[in-house]
Short mmCIF file of all heavy atoms in Angstrom, two decimals:
data_model
loop_
_atom_site.label_atom_id
_atom_site.label_comp_id
_atom_site.label_asym_id
_atom_site.label_seq_id
_atom_site.Cartn_x
_atom_site.Cartn_y
_atom_site.Cartn_z
N MET A 1 -7.07 11.57 65.88
CA MET A 1 -5.88 12.45 65.74
C MET A 1 -4.93 12.04 67.00
O MET A 1 -3.81 12.68 67.08
CB MET A 1 -6.23 13.86 65.81
CG MET A 1 -7.01 14.26 64.56
SD MET A 1 -6.26 13.97 62.94
CE MET A 1 -4.91 15.18 62.98
N GLU A 2 -5.26 11.17 67.69
CA GLU A 2 -4.35 10.80 68.90
C GLU A 2 -2.94 10.27 68.44
O GLU A 2 -1.90 10.51 69.21
CB GLU A 2 -5.07 9.70 69.83
CG GLU A 2 -4.21 9.23 70.94
CD GLU A 2 -4.11 10.09 72.06
OE1 GLU A 2 -4.86 11.12 72.13
OE2 GLU A 2 -3.28 9.95 72.96
N HIS A 3 -2.85 9.93 67.21
CA HIS A 3 -1.58 9.40 66.76
C HIS A 3 -0.61 10.59 66.76
O HIS A 3 0.77 10.17 66.88
CB HIS A 3 -1.67 8.98 65.23
CG HIS A 3 -2.09 9.93 64.27
ND1 HIS A 3 -1.16 10.73 63.57
CD2 HIS A 3 -3.36 10.38 63.78
CE1 HIS A 3 -1.74 11.53 62.73
NE2 HIS A 3 -3.07 11.42 62.87
N ASN A 4 -0.89 11.68 66.68
CA ASN A 4 0.07 12.82 66.65
C ASN A 4 0.85 12.87 68.04
O ASN A 4 2.02 13.18 68.04
CB ASN A 4 -0.63 14.25 66.44
CG ASN A 4 -1.11 14.39 65.06
OD1 ASN A 4 -0.26 14.51 64.20
ND2 ASN A 4 -2.36 14.53 64.89
N GLN A 5 0.11 12.58 69.12
CA GLN A 5 0.77 12.80 70.39
C GLN A 5 1.42 11.39 70.78
O GLN A 5 2.39 11.38 71.51
CB GLN A 5 -0.21 12.92 71.50
CG GLN A 5 -0.80 14.36 71.42
CD GLN A 5 -2.31 14.41 70.99
OE1 GLN A 5 -2.52 14.24 69.81
NE2 GLN A 5 -3.14 14.66 71.94
N SER A 6 0.96 10.33 70.15
CA SER A 6 1.40 8.95 70.46
C SER A 6 2.69 8.56 69.74
O SER A 6 3.07 7.27 69.81
CB SER A 6 0.39 7.93 70.45
OG SER A 6 -0.72 8.22 71.33
N GLY A 7 3.11 9.36 68.87
CA GLY A 7 4.23 8.90 67.96
C GLY A 7 3.99 7.89 66.87
O GLY A 7 4.96 7.25 66.44
N VAL A 8 2.75 7.96 66.38
CA VAL A 8 2.37 6.99 65.37
C VAL A 8 2.16 7.84 63.99
O VAL A 8 1.44 8.69 63.96
CB VAL A 8 1.05 6.19 65.66
CG1 VAL A 8 0.65 5.26 64.58
CG2 VAL A 8 1.20 5.62 66.98
N SER A 9 2.97 7.37 63.05
CA SER A 9 2.91 8.04 61.74
C SER A 9 1.95 7.37 60.76
O SER A 9 1.81 6.07 60.86
CB SER A 9 4.36 8.07 61.13
OG SER A 9 4.41 8.96 60.12
N MET A 10 1.32 8.01 59.95
CA MET A 10 0.45 7.51 58.95
C MET A 10 1.16 6.72 57.94
O MET A 10 2.29 6.62 57.89
CB MET A 10 -0.44 8.58 58.34
CG MET A 10 -1.33 9.27 59.43
SD MET A 10 -2.66 8.34 60.05
CE MET A 10 -1.91 7.71 61.51
N GLY A 11 0.36 6.12 56.90
CA GLY A 11 0.97 5.28 55.83
C GLY A 11 0.63 5.88 54.54
O GLY A 11 0.50 7.02 54.30
N ALA A 12 0.63 5.02 53.46
CA ALA A 12 0.54 5.40 52.10
C ALA A 12 -0.79 6.07 51.64
O ALA A 12 -0.93 6.80 50.78
CB ALA A 12 0.84 4.15 51.18
N SER A 13 -1.84 5.69 52.30
CA SER A 13 -3.12 6.36 51.97
C SER A 13 -3.08 7.91 52.18
O SER A 13 -3.52 8.67 51.39
CB SER A 13 -4.31 5.70 52.85
OG SER A 13 -5.55 6.46 52.47
N HIS A 14 -2.49 8.30 53.31
CA HIS A 14 -2.29 9.71 53.49
C HIS A 14 -1.04 10.24 52.69
O HIS A 14 -1.21 11.31 52.15
CB HIS A 14 -1.76 9.90 55.08
CG HIS A 14 -2.95 9.96 55.98
ND1 HIS A 14 -3.55 8.87 56.40
CD2 HIS A 14 -3.69 10.95 56.57
CE1 HIS A 14 -4.62 9.14 57.17
NE2 HIS A 14 -4.64 10.30 57.23
N GLY A 15 -0.10 9.48 52.50
CA GLY A 15 1.10 10.08 51.59
C GLY A 15 0.65 10.30 50.14
O GLY A 15 0.91 11.34 49.66
N ILE A 16 -0.05 9.41 49.64
CA ILE A 16 -0.58 9.45 48.23
C ILE A 16 -1.78 10.49 48.20
O ILE A 16 -1.88 11.34 47.41
CB ILE A 16 -1.12 8.19 47.63
CG1 ILE A 16 0.13 7.16 47.62
CG2 ILE A 16 -1.64 8.32 46.30
CD1 ILE A 16 -0.31 5.77 47.20
N GLY A 17 -2.52 10.54 49.35
CA GLY A 17 -3.69 11.48 49.43
C GLY A 17 -3.22 12.84 49.28
O GLY A 17 -3.87 13.76 48.74
N HIS A 18 -2.11 13.21 50.04
CA HIS A 18 -1.69 14.49 50.07
C HIS A 18 -1.25 15.17 48.61
O HIS A 18 -1.56 16.14 48.37
CB HIS A 18 -0.43 14.68 50.80
CG HIS A 18 -0.57 14.54 52.34
ND1 HIS A 18 0.42 14.14 53.27
CD2 HIS A 18 -1.70 14.83 53.11
CE1 HIS A 18 -0.05 14.13 54.40
NE2 HIS A 18 -1.36 14.49 54.36
N VAL A 19 -0.78 14.13 47.80
CA VAL A 19 -0.56 14.50 46.43
C VAL A 19 -1.76 14.55 45.51
O VAL A 19 -1.90 15.52 44.71
CB VAL A 19 0.47 13.50 45.73
CG1 VAL A 19 0.83 13.85 44.33
CG2 VAL A 19 1.80 13.42 46.60
N LEU A 20 -2.73 13.71 45.77
CA LEU A 20 -3.94 13.82 45.10
C LEU A 20 -4.66 15.18 45.30
O LEU A 20 -5.22 15.69 44.41
CB LEU A 20 -4.90 12.72 45.44
CG LEU A 20 -4.53 11.27 45.08
CD1 LEU A 20 -5.56 10.19 45.51
CD2 LEU A 20 -4.47 11.16 43.56
N GLY A 21 -4.38 15.60 46.59
CA GLY A 21 -5.01 16.92 46.88
C GLY A 21 -4.28 18.14 46.32
O GLY A 21 -4.76 18.83 45.38
N GLY A 22 -2.88 18.29 46.61
CA GLY A 22 -2.19 19.30 46.14
C GLY A 22 -1.89 19.43 44.63
O GLY A 22 -1.73 20.48 43.96
N THR A 23 -1.71 18.18 44.06
CA THR A 23 -1.29 18.25 42.65
C THR A 23 -2.54 17.96 41.70
O THR A 23 -2.49 18.52 40.59
CB THR A 23 -0.24 17.02 42.30
OG1 THR A 23 0.86 17.18 43.22
CG2 THR A 23 0.17 16.90 40.98
N CYS A 24 -3.45 17.16 42.19
CA CYS A 24 -4.66 16.87 41.33
C CYS A 24 -5.92 17.52 41.79
O CYS A 24 -6.95 17.20 41.18
CB CYS A 24 -4.85 15.33 41.30
SG CYS A 24 -3.42 14.45 40.75
N SER A 25 -5.97 18.26 42.77
CA SER A 25 -7.05 19.08 43.26
C SER A 25 -8.19 18.28 43.74
O SER A 25 -9.40 18.63 43.59
CB SER A 25 -7.54 20.12 42.15
OG SER A 25 -6.54 20.98 41.88
N VAL A 26 -8.02 17.03 44.15
CA VAL A 26 -9.04 16.11 44.73
C VAL A 26 -9.41 16.65 46.13
O VAL A 26 -8.56 16.98 46.86
CB VAL A 26 -8.56 14.64 44.87
CG1 VAL A 26 -9.67 13.81 45.32
CG2 VAL A 26 -8.13 14.15 43.41
N PRO A 27 -10.68 16.77 46.44
CA PRO A 27 -11.13 17.13 47.79
C PRO A 27 -10.42 16.33 48.88
O PRO A 27 -10.24 15.20 48.58
CB PRO A 27 -12.59 17.13 47.79
CG PRO A 27 -12.87 17.27 46.33
CD PRO A 27 -11.83 16.65 45.62
N HIS A 28 -10.07 17.07 49.88
CA HIS A 28 -9.25 16.40 50.93
C HIS A 28 -9.81 15.07 51.47
O HIS A 28 -9.01 14.11 51.53
CB HIS A 28 -9.19 17.51 52.26
CG HIS A 28 -8.18 17.12 53.25
ND1 HIS A 28 -6.86 16.88 53.01
CD2 HIS A 28 -8.41 16.85 54.60
CE1 HIS A 28 -6.27 16.57 54.28
NE2 HIS A 28 -7.18 16.63 55.10
N GLY A 29 -11.11 15.08 51.78
CA GLY A 29 -11.66 13.83 52.33
C GLY A 29 -11.76 12.77 51.27
O GLY A 29 -11.53 11.52 51.57
N GLN A 30 -12.01 13.07 50.05
CA GLN A 30 -12.16 12.08 49.04
C GLN A 30 -10.85 11.34 48.62
O GLN A 30 -10.91 10.26 48.05
CB GLN A 30 -12.79 12.75 47.84
CG GLN A 30 -14.35 12.97 48.06
CD GLN A 30 -15.00 13.52 46.85
OE1 GLN A 30 -14.53 13.85 45.86
NE2 GLN A 30 -16.36 13.58 46.94
N THR A 31 -9.73 11.92 49.02
CA THR A 31 -8.43 11.29 48.74
C THR A 31 -8.43 9.93 49.54
O THR A 31 -8.05 8.96 49.08
CB THR A 31 -7.30 12.11 49.03
OG1 THR A 31 -7.29 12.43 50.46
CG2 THR A 31 -7.35 13.47 48.22
N SER A 32 -8.94 10.01 50.69
CA SER A 32 -8.95 8.79 51.53
C SER A 32 -10.04 7.73 51.10
O SER A 32 -9.79 6.59 51.04
CB SER A 32 -9.39 9.15 52.98
OG SER A 32 -8.25 9.94 53.60
N CYS A 33 -11.20 8.31 50.46
CA CYS A 33 -12.15 7.45 49.90
C CYS A 33 -11.65 6.62 48.91
O CYS A 33 -11.92 5.38 48.70
CB CYS A 33 -13.35 8.24 49.44
SG CYS A 33 -14.21 9.22 50.67
N VAL A 34 -10.77 7.19 47.99
CA VAL A 34 -10.29 6.38 46.78
C VAL A 34 -8.91 5.73 47.05
O VAL A 34 -8.73 4.81 46.31
CB VAL A 34 -10.17 7.35 45.60
CG1 VAL A 34 -11.49 7.92 45.31
CG2 VAL A 34 -9.06 8.37 45.74
N MET A 35 -8.29 6.03 48.13
CA MET A 35 -7.01 5.35 48.28
C MET A 35 -6.93 4.35 49.47
O MET A 35 -6.27 3.38 49.47
CB MET A 35 -5.87 6.44 48.62
CG MET A 35 -5.44 7.16 47.35
SD MET A 35 -5.11 6.34 45.93
CE MET A 35 -3.99 5.04 46.40
N LEU A 36 -7.79 4.50 50.57
CA LEU A 36 -7.53 3.64 51.60
C LEU A 36 -7.76 2.23 51.31
O LEU A 36 -7.04 1.28 51.76
CB LEU A 36 -8.36 4.09 52.90
CG LEU A 36 -8.28 3.26 54.08
CD1 LEU A 36 -6.83 3.23 54.60
CD2 LEU A 36 -9.28 3.89 55.20
N PRO A 37 -8.89 1.77 50.53
CA PRO A 37 -9.13 0.40 50.34
C PRO A 37 -7.85 -0.30 49.67
O PRO A 37 -7.45 -1.41 49.89
CB PRO A 37 -10.35 0.40 49.54
CG PRO A 37 -11.01 1.55 49.88
CD PRO A 37 -10.00 2.61 50.13
N ALA A 38 -7.42 0.52 48.58
CA ALA A 38 -6.30 -0.12 47.82
C ALA A 38 -4.93 -0.19 48.66
O ALA A 38 -4.27 -1.26 48.58
CB ALA A 38 -5.84 0.78 46.65
N VAL A 39 -4.75 0.74 49.62
CA VAL A 39 -3.55 0.58 50.48
C VAL A 39 -3.71 -0.56 51.42
O VAL A 39 -2.71 -1.24 51.68
CB VAL A 39 -3.31 2.03 51.23
CG1 VAL A 39 -2.24 1.77 52.22
CG2 VAL A 39 -2.85 3.10 50.23
N LEU A 40 -4.90 -0.74 51.93
CA LEU A 40 -5.11 -1.82 52.79
C LEU A 40 -4.87 -3.22 52.04
O LEU A 40 -4.23 -4.07 52.62
CB LEU A 40 -6.50 -1.88 53.33
CG LEU A 40 -6.86 -0.84 54.41
CD1 LEU A 40 -8.28 -0.66 54.66
CD2 LEU A 40 -6.07 -1.21 55.72
N LYS A 41 -5.33 -3.24 50.81
CA LYS A 41 -5.15 -4.47 50.11
C LYS A 41 -3.64 -4.67 49.80
O LYS A 41 -3.09 -5.79 49.95
CB LYS A 41 -5.91 -4.34 48.59
CG LYS A 41 -5.86 -5.59 47.88
CD LYS A 41 -6.63 -5.45 46.61
CE LYS A 41 -8.07 -5.34 46.89
NZ LYS A 41 -8.85 -5.23 45.61
N TRP A 42 -2.84 -3.70 49.53
CA TRP A 42 -1.45 -3.76 49.19
C TRP A 42 -0.61 -4.16 50.42
O TRP A 42 0.31 -4.84 50.25
CB TRP A 42 -0.92 -2.42 48.61
CG TRP A 42 0.43 -2.58 47.95
CD1 TRP A 42 0.62 -3.00 46.70
CD2 TRP A 42 1.60 -2.20 48.45
NE1 TRP A 42 1.93 -2.95 46.26
CE2 TRP A 42 2.66 -2.42 47.43
CE3 TRP A 42 2.03 -1.54 49.60
CZ2 TRP A 42 4.00 -2.08 47.56
CZ3 TRP A 42 3.44 -1.30 49.72
CH2 TRP A 42 4.40 -1.57 48.77
N ASN A 43 -1.08 -3.68 51.56
CA ASN A 43 -0.45 -3.93 52.75
C ASN A 43 -0.78 -5.19 53.55
O ASN A 43 -0.13 -5.59 54.64
CB ASN A 43 -0.62 -2.78 53.84
CG ASN A 43 0.03 -1.48 53.47
OD1 ASN A 43 1.10 -1.50 52.79
ND2 ASN A 43 -0.40 -0.39 54.05
N ALA A 44 -1.89 -5.88 52.99
CA ALA A 44 -2.49 -7.00 53.85
C ALA A 44 -1.51 -8.04 54.32
O ALA A 44 -1.66 -8.57 55.49
CB ALA A 44 -3.71 -7.60 53.00
N GLU A 45 -0.62 -8.35 53.49
CA GLU A 45 0.30 -9.52 53.89
C GLU A 45 1.17 -9.12 54.96
O GLU A 45 1.88 -10.04 55.55
CB GLU A 45 1.14 -9.89 52.59
CG GLU A 45 2.02 -8.95 52.00
CD GLU A 45 2.73 -9.33 50.72
OE1 GLU A 45 2.11 -9.26 49.63
OE2 GLU A 45 3.87 -9.70 50.78
N HIS A 46 1.42 -7.85 55.28
CA HIS A 46 2.37 -7.38 56.17
C HIS A 46 1.76 -7.05 57.63
O HIS A 46 2.26 -7.00 58.59
CB HIS A 46 3.11 -6.05 55.78
CG HIS A 46 4.19 -6.42 54.81
ND1 HIS A 46 5.51 -6.16 55.15
CD2 HIS A 46 4.19 -6.88 53.50
CE1 HIS A 46 6.27 -6.54 54.09
NE2 HIS A 46 5.35 -6.93 52.99
#
């Protein structure tokens, strides 16, 4: 959680994950389980 103090913002895994939770009722932690690998793959060239 150090990113909060260091001015580092999260990316699409968290952004999509918030919606999977609030809109689709996916448990908070499992949103990361299903999204982080795909976001890494999509971001890899950058």
Side-chain angles (χ1 to χ4, degrees):
M1 298 301 290
E2 177 72 13
H3 64 89
N4 287 298
Q5 291 108 286
S6 298
V8 179
S9 199
M10 298 290 93
S13 180
H14 280 76
I16 298 171
H18 290 156
V19 180
L20 291 181
T23 302
C24 304
S25 300
V26 178
H28 189 58
Q30 290 185 344
T31 66
S32 291
C33 295
V34 302
M35 287 314 307
L36 181 57
V39 170
L40 285 167
K41 185 179 294 185
W42 197 79
N43 286 338
E45 63 185 77
H46 280 252

